[in-house]
Amino acid sequence: MAELIMALELAPATIVSNDTGTAIMQLVLTRRPDTVAAAVLTSGDAYEHFLLPTLATLKALPYIPGGLQILSRVMRHPT
């Protein structure tokens, strides 16, 4: 997202995000705060609709020994 904002010459931009986009924008805010002037972060997650159906299997990881450690390695940002 930060690269898109920069490519479109919109920085610093006002961002409005919802649901999973809020998680993405939180990463942008921590790693590239220079691209964002203001942010409105909202949650669309509620009750049984938490996580996208394609990511629903991630709910099981805390119950598998070493599951979160494996996830953290897979999700690590390349340096």
Side-chain angles (χ1 to χ4, degrees):
M1 287 305 303
E3 291 177 13
L4 178 62
I5 292 169
M6 296 303 289
L8 295 174
E9 298 179 0
L10 298 174
T14 298
I15 303 298
V16 178
S17 66
N18 186 21
D19 205 11
T20 306
T22 295
I24 295 168
M25 287 316 301
Q26 287 176 0
L27 293 172
V28 172
L29 288 168
T30 58
R31 295 183 179 172
R32 294 291 309 274
D34 57 308
T35 61
V36 180
V40 178
L41 308 176
T42 64
S43 176
D45 301 331
Y47 308 109
E48 70 275 1
H49 300 293
F50 180 68
L51 287 179
L52 296 171
T54 56
L55 301 176
T57 55
L58 296 178
K59 291 182 194 178
L61 287 176
Y63 302 101
I64 300 170
L68 292 179
Q69 185 178 25
I70 292 169
L71 179 64
S72 69
R73 288 182 182 170
V74 170
M75 302 285 286
R76 186 174 292 148
H77 188 275
T79 55

